[in-house]
Amino acid sequence: MTPSGGIVRFDDARPIALAIAREAVTEGLDGVLIRDVLGRFCLALDDRHRELPEEAVARWRAELTERLGLYAAPNTILRASELFAAEAVFDSPRILDEPELAGHFGPGRIRTLDNTVVGEDWSHVTIPSPLESGIQTARVALYGFKGGVGRSTAAYMLGKHLADRGWCVLVVDLDLESPGSGALLLNEEAAPQYGLVDHLVEFALRNAEGLDLVERASGVSITGNGELWVAPARGRGSGNAPYAYVDKLNRVYSDAVGGALPSFADRLECAVSACGMAVAERSRQPDVILLDSRAGIHDIAAIAISRLCDLALLFGSDNSQTWQGYGDLFAAWRSSGQAEAIREKLRMVASMVPDKRRADYLGTFRDHAWTCFSVLYDDLPPGDMSGFNPSPEDTAAPHYPIPILFSLDLVGLDGAANPGWSEQTFAQAAYEEFLDTAMRLITEGLQ
Amino acid sequence: MPRTPEDHFAQAAHRHYEDAVYLHDDGRLPNADHHYGFSVECALKSLLLRHLNATTAPYKPGGMPVPWPWTRDSSGKPKKHGHLPDLWSEVATLARGRSGNTLAAMLNSSTPFATWDVAHRYHGGPMLSSTTMNERKAAATQILTLHQQTLITGVLQ
C-alpha cells in the first residue's frame, strides 16, 4: 500500500496505521492507536502486565516511521511503562472501539484515540438522560447541513402546532453565531434579560443561578392550554451595562478537559436543562424541547444531534451540496463506530419541495437520501432480515423524507411585521404533512 | 537524546520529579521540594517553547541563544521566563485560545508554590509541612501529566 507519488497525505495515513495496529492485535497485544491534532499516528502498547515481543515492536516502529512519512508522530511506539501517567492514556474516557481493529483479527485489543481541535462530540452518540423529576421530555434537534433551508421557521411552526394541541413546548435557539428562532418567536423588548450565551459564560464561573433565560413566545396566539416558550441565544440585557454579545460568544467554546471548567458539551447540556427548569418553575415542565441547531459541521450541531436529542430532523433540499455534506457526516459516524447508535435518532426532512413536481422531486430526494444513509445501515445479503437495512420505500425509515412545500410567500418572511402569518393558507399548506408527521414522531413516546 | 531545548526541558522535568519523589519518600523534604519546583518549572518551559510562542533564540540577530525561554511583552521588549513562583502566573497569562484551557484553569487557581524560592537551595533548611509537600507533589504530578498529554495529542490541553 504505497500512496501515489510516494507522498503520504492525511487520508493515506490512517489505513497504514490501522494495518500495523492489526498486527499488534494478531500478536495479542493491548493498546491504543493515537492520532494527534496534526493527524500523526503513534501506537501506545500496554506492557504493564505482559512483555512485548521486542522484535515485532522494533519492526512496527520502523514501519510506522518509514511508511507514514510526515504522518508519523515523533515517537511512533509508546510503552505504558515509560509514560509518566499511563492511565491518562490507556484509561481515557475518549478512547473508542475501532471496527477495523475488531477482535476477529486476533486476541489483542487495540482501540483508538483521535485528538481533534473541534468536533469530538460527533463520535460520542448518547441518548439524553431523563430529567430529575422523572417526567418525560421529548428533545428534538432541527438541523440543516446548509443554512437557509427553513429550519427556524419550521421550529416556529412545529412549536406552535404542538402548543395548539395542548403540549408545553420550549424552543431553544442554539444558533449562537446567527440567532434565528429566538428573534422569530420573540419581540426584542419581550426577550428575557439573558440568553443561552450568558448561561455558557456565567456557568464557567459558577454564576449561572438566577439568570432570566426564557419567555413565552410573543405575538403567537395559542389555542387551548398548551404553552410555547422560547430560550433565545441573545438576551435583551439588564440595562445596567451594554450587552456585549460578541465578547461573550468569543469565550463560550473554551474546553478544559479534566480541568476546573466542565467541557463545552457539558455546559451546553446544563444550559439547555436550565432553560427547561426555568419553564418548569414559571409554569410546568416542558413536554417537548425543540433545539434549533446551527448549520454546518459545527460543535454545537455535533452536541445537539449526538447528545442532546432523542430525535434529529435533518433538513435539506435535493442538491449535491446537501448529499455530499450529509455523506461526509455519516461516513465520520460510521468510521467512529457510531452508526448503530445514531441512525435511529435521525429523520430526513425535504424542506423546499416544489409543489408542482412534488411526487417526482420526493422520489428522487428519497433515492438520494437512501444512498447517503446506506453507510449507516447494516450491510446484509438480500433477504437477510436480521439487521437494520430498510428499503428505499420504507416510509418509517430515517432516510424517508418528510416534506415541507416550497412557498415564495415564506421567503424572507418578517414574522414580526406579519402577525398571524402562520395561520394563513400558504403556511398551513406548506407545513401540513411535516407538522402531522413530526408531531406523531415526537409525541408517540410521551403518551 | 534530546535534540531541542524543549526536549531537554521535558526530560529534565521527569528527572527532577523522580528525584523529588525519591527524596520525599525518604523524608528529605527541603531537597525534595527543590526538585518538585524544578520539575514544574521545566515542564512549563517545555510547554512555553512548544505552544506559547516562547523561544531560546538570541535576543538580537547574530547573538548567542539563551538558556531560558523568552517572549516579547506588549511593548515588544524581551521578557525572560525564569523560576517559580513568577513563572506560574506568567504561563497562566500566556495560555489562551480554544486549546490551553486546562492549563489555564490549573494555573489560575492559587499556586501551591507561592512561597517556593529558588534561593532556598542556599538555606540551612526551610520549614516545610507535610501538607505543603503533598500539595506541591500533587501540582507537579498534575502538570507533568498534562505535559505528557500535550506531547501525545499535539495540542496544549
Side-chain angles (χ1 to χ4, degrees):
Chain A
M1 193 180 357
T2 307
S4 57
I7 297 174
V8 182
R9 305 288 185 192
F10 185 93
D11 290 331
D12 304 319
R14 191 166 181 272
I16 295 171
L18 284 172
I20 294 167
R22 271 197 292 272
E23 290 185 35
V25 175
T26 310
E27 285 278 346
L29 300 181
D30 297 337
V32 187
L33 181 66
I34 301 168
R35 178 157 65 171
D36 74 11
V37 287
L38 300 176
R40 303 179 302 180
F41 281 93
C42 72
L43 182 58
L45 296 171
D46 196 347
D47 61 346
R48 289 173 293 182
H49 308 296
R50 60 159 294 175
E51 284 189 18
L52 299 180
E54 291 303 333
E55 208 174 301
V57 171
R59 190 177 72 247
W60 297 332
R61 181 191 295 278
E63 278 189 33
L64 284 166
T65 307
E66 190 183 324
R67 291 174 60 194
L68 287 171
L70 292 171
Y71 283 94
N75 192 357
T76 50
I77 300 281
L78 303 175
R79 295 159 189 266
S81 62
E82 291 173 358
L83 290 174
F84 178 74
E87 67 286 353
V89 174
F90 289 87
D91 302 336
S92 165
R94 295 169 42 243
I95 289 181
L96 291 172
D97 283 314
E98 165 56 59
E100 294 186 50
L101 295 172
H104 58 261
F105 291 108
R109 189 176 193 213
I110 305 281
R111 305 172 78 203
T112 56
L113 181 54
D114 204 8
N115 296 288
T116 55
V117 180
V118 295
E120 194 168 289
D121 294 286
W122 290 113
S123 53
H124 295 271
V125 177
T126 53
I127 300 289
S129 45
L131 298 179
E132 277 174 26
S133 63
I135 304 170
Q136 255 188 326
T137 297
R139 276 162 279 199
V140 184
L142 291 89
Y143 171 78
F145 175 74
K146 297 285 285 177
V149 289
R151 197 191 65 230
S152 296
T153 314
Y156 176 107
M157 293 296 289
L158 185 55
K160 181 173 174 354
H161 187 77
L162 288 160
D164 278 338
R165 277 142 194 85
W167 302 101
C168 179
V169 183
L170 167 65
V171 178
V172 182
D173 190 354
L174 293 182
D175 199 350
L176 302 184
E177 276 77 12
S178 52
S181 55
L184 200 60
L185 284 154
L186 283 170
N187 302 327
E188 201 174 337
E189 57 278 17
Q193 273 197 349
Y194 298 102
L196 215 64
V197 78
D198 293 285
H199 194 279
L200 291 165
V201 169
E202 300 294 344
F203 189 82
L205 293 172
R206 305 289 191 273
N207 196 36
E209 286 289 315
L211 288 175
D212 169 29
L213 293 167
V214 296
E215 197 46 76
R216 281 177 199 269
S218 45
V220 184
S221 58
I222 304 296
T223 53
N225 63 351
E227 298 178 30
L228 182 56
W229 292 81
V230 194
R234 184 192 196 286
R236 69 179 147 79
S238 65
N240 299 327
Y243 190 76
Y245 189 75
V246 174
D247 290 350
K248 285 179 261 193
L249 184 61
N250 288 346
R251 286 170 168 78
V252 298
Y253 292 109
S254 54
D255 232 340
V257 180
L261 186 64
S263 70
F264 176 68
D266 288 339
R267 283 182 292 135
L268 192 65
E269 186 169 16
C270 286
V272 171
S273 295
C275 295
M277 284 190 282
V279 173
E281 274 168 28
R282 289 179 53 185
S283 176
R284 57 182 160 122
Q285 186 178 303
D287 302 301
V288 180
I289 297 180
L290 300 179
L291 303 163
D292 187 11
S293 164
R294 60 158 292 164
I297 299 178
H298 186 275
D299 275 7
I300 288 206
I303 297 162
I305 297 174
S306 300
R307 178 165 164 174
L308 300 185
C309 75
D310 326 277
L311 169 69
L313 298 172
L314 307 184
F315 285 64
S317 45
D318 185 34
N319 58 45
S320 54
Q321 299 102 300
T322 299
W323 301 123
Q324 192 173 53
Y326 282 121
D328 286 343
L329 205 48
F330 295 174
W333 271 320
R334 185 188 170 98
S335 73
S336 57
Q338 304 298 302
E340 199 176 327
I342 195 72
R343 63 195 178 199
E344 292 189 67
K345 269 192 183 196
L346 307 178
R347 187 66 194 258
M348 205 71 221
V349 176
S351 62
M352 297 171 100
V353 179
D355 197 9
K356 287 186 181 155
R357 301 189 286 117
R358 179 184 170 138
D360 283 351
Y361 182 92
L362 282 173
T364 317
F365 188 107
R366 182 201 69 194
D367 290 346
H368 287 153
W370 183 80
T371 307
C372 198
F373 268 81
S374 59
V375 300
L376 296 178
Y377 296 163
D378 293 331
D379 250 340
L380 298 172
D384 185 340
M385 307 296 280
S386 61
F388 186 85
N389 192 357
S391 71
E393 297 79 16
D394 185 340
T395 55
H399 67 267
Y400 199 88
I402 310 171
I404 296 173
L405 302 185
F406 177 75
S407 164
L408 269 179
D409 295 308
L410 284 165
V411 177
L413 178 86
D414 183 354
N418 297 282
W421 64 271
S422 63
E423 301 299 333
Q424 292 179 21
T425 318
F426 71 90
Q428 289 298 319
Y431 283 93
E432 187 182 9
E433 189 171 345
F434 167 75
L435 295 175
D436 287 348
T437 312
M439 187 174 80
R440 181 174 48 75
L441 291 173
I442 293 166
T443 58
E444 62 192 3
L446 294 174
Q447 306 294 346
Chain B
M1 279 298 290
R3 285 170 298 175
T4 61
E6 53 268 35
D7 289 344
H8 278 287
F9 281 122
Q11 283 204 3
H14 289 270
R15 190 183 70 238
H16 283 296
Y17 181 87
E18 282 165 19
D19 288 358
V21 172
Y22 183 87
L23 294 171
H24 189 179
D25 289 348
D26 202 37
R28 291 137 77 177
L29 301 190
N31 276 358
D33 186 53
H34 177 75
H35 285 292
Y36 280 135
F38 268 98
S39 72
V40 169
E41 178 178 320
C42 291
L44 292 179
K45 286 181 171 175
S46 166
L47 295 175
L48 271 171
L49 289 168
R50 288 172 207 275
H51 295 285
L52 298 170
N53 287 331
T55 177
T56 54
Y59 284 143
K60 288 182 180 159
M64 293 288 287
V66 293
W68 49 76
W70 61 275
T71 50
R72 289 196 189 280
D73 67 16
S74 53
S75 63
K77 286 188 194 145
K79 160 77 187 149
K80 170 186 170 179
H81 298 291
H83 298 299
L84 291 175
D86 293 350
L87 178 68
W88 184 285
S89 52
E90 288 162 18
V91 179
T93 310
L94 291 169
R96 62 174 175 270
R98 208 177 261 218
S99 62
N101 283 294
T102 307
L103 179 65
M106 204 183 281
L107 298 181
N108 278 318
S109 51
S110 63
T111 172
F113 290 93
T115 57
W116 189 93
D117 188 338
V118 68
H120 284 163
R121 66 193 188 276
Y122 303 121
H123 283 203
M127 292 299 293
L128 290 159
S129 69
S130 62
T131 308
T132 300
M133 289 302 294
N134 289 334
E135 282 172 3
R136 289 181 180 174
K137 180 182 183 182
T141 307
Q142 212 179 0
I143 286 173
L144 264 69
T145 303
L146 180 140
H147 177 261
Q148 167 198 280
Q149 292 301 91
T150 295
L151 257 50
I152 291 174
T153 61
V155 65
L156 185 57
Q157 304 285 308

